[in-house]
Each structure stands twice: as structure tokens, then as C-alpha cells.
Amino acid sequence: SYCLYNLIVIICWKDSHVTTIILNMETNNVISIKEGLCRTWLPLIEAKVQNYYLCFIIDTGSTHCVLDESIADFLKDNINYVGENSLHGIEGNKVSAKEGVLSLNINGKEFQQSFCFMSLGGFASIKQESGIEVHGILGNNFLIANKWVIDYGSFEIRENK
């Protein structure tokens, strides 16, 4: 990928097909998920926490936002811990996890979001296959609270005003 003025051009090679994606970065209320879909077949977005960029899967089937506990340990000074929560893990097992609020910057907009902190070691295969390290999940609670809608026709997330 490369940047040209306010456009980002992403060239993807997948299954013998070349796809060129042009994203207009001046539109703050639209977030493209094309690059993540092209590289991993997953809707991925990037969020900035402090001076670090984290990669999140948008998961409409998840009732909670989750951050890998190793990343939470690294960012612990910026997390306001609020207690523990009980939820079903990726394998369907009921687990208890620490919960806290973290400030995220996504596409230039600040969000305060509650996260559960647990191991996301199962995401290691995504990194092995694509080179992309996924740090967490933004669940349905985040989408609903912020009135985000996924447009699969244009592969974008838009704010529903």
C-alpha cells in the first residue's frame, strides 16, 4: 500500500486476483474494512491507544469487547479497572475476566470503551497466515453504542446518524 495526497491505495493479491482499493482518508465518519477483508477475510480496523496502534476484529456475534490480556498488561496505566465480568469465551466456555475502560482513537474520533481482558491466543493463526496481529475484538455492544452500521456492499463501517 502507499499514500498519495489524501488517498491510500492498497493493492491486494489473493487467489490469483489483484484488487486495488482506494480509500479517501478525509471522510472521518467512514471506516473501510476492505484491507482486512482482502488480507485475512476478516473485518479489521485499527485503533490508536496512547501512541500504539492496535488491530481489532469487528465481531457482531460478540456481546463484549475483548482485549488480549498481554496487551492489557502493557497498557495497564491507561485502563480504569471496574471489576470482573462473566462471559462465554471463544470456545463457548463460561469464563471470568477482568473488566476495564480504555480510551481508543479510531479514525480521529475518541471512544471510551469497556473491555474484558482475556487470552486471545487462538488469534495466533491469523498472524501466521497473514502477518497481521489481532489484539482484540470490538463487539456488538460497541457497534450499538456508537450507532455503527456495517455496509457490506461498500465494505465500510458508517455512523448511523
Side-chain angles (χ1 to χ4, degrees):
S1 69
Y2 57 92
C3 187
L4 177 66
Y5 300 103
N6 285 324
L7 300 177
I8 291 181
V9 179
I10 301 166
I11 301 172
C12 299
W13 180 268
K14 188 105 175 160
D15 299 328
S16 301
H17 298 288
V18 175
T19 304
T20 303
I21 303 165
I22 300 175
L23 308 175
N24 184 346
M25 297 308 290
E26 290 182 343
T27 311
N28 273 358
N29 63 345
V30 175
I31 300 168
S32 176
I33 55 174
K34 289 179 184 178
E35 181 179 11
L37 288 169
C38 184
R39 292 182 62 191
T40 65
W41 295 103
L42 297 168
L44 302 175
I45 65 168
E46 184 178 76
K48 187 174 180 183
V49 177
Q50 293 177 285
N51 292 320
Y52 303 100
Y53 290 92
L54 303 179
C55 181
F56 290 91
I57 292 176
I58 300 295
D59 185 354
T60 60
S62 178
T63 57
H64 294 78
C65 293
V66 179
L67 185 66
D68 189 274
E69 60 193 359
S70 65
I71 302 298
D73 288 343
F74 184 74
L75 297 171
K76 65 183 173 216
D77 294 338
N78 294 77
I79 297 172
N80 179 21
Y81 288 95
V82 295
E84 296 227 352
N85 201 337
S86 181
L87 64 151
H88 289 87
I90 294 172
E91 295 85 23
N93 302 324
K94 193 170 186 176
V95 295
S96 181
K98 289 182 182 177
E99 185 174 12
V101 177
L102 185 63
S103 179
L104 304 172
N105 184 307
I106 301 173
N107 213 27
K109 188 172 180 182
E110 290 291 325
F111 298 92
Q112 295 292 317
Q113 182 58 46
S114 177
F115 284 90
C116 291
F117 308 111
M118 56 193 297
S119 173
L120 296 176
F123 288 171
S125 62
I126 298 169
K127 185 174 182 180
Q128 288 174 333
E129 292 175 14
S130 68
I132 296 175
E133 184 173 359
V134 176
H135 303 104
I137 297 168
L138 291 179
N140 205 29
N141 60 335
F142 179 83
L143 298 173
I144 291 170
N146 295 292
K147 297 179 176 65
W148 280 15
V149 176
I150 301 173
D151 181 344
Y152 289 104
S154 63
F155 302 110
E156 295 174 332
I157 297 174
R158 299 177 184 278
E159 194 175 343
N160 187 17
K161 296 182 179 185

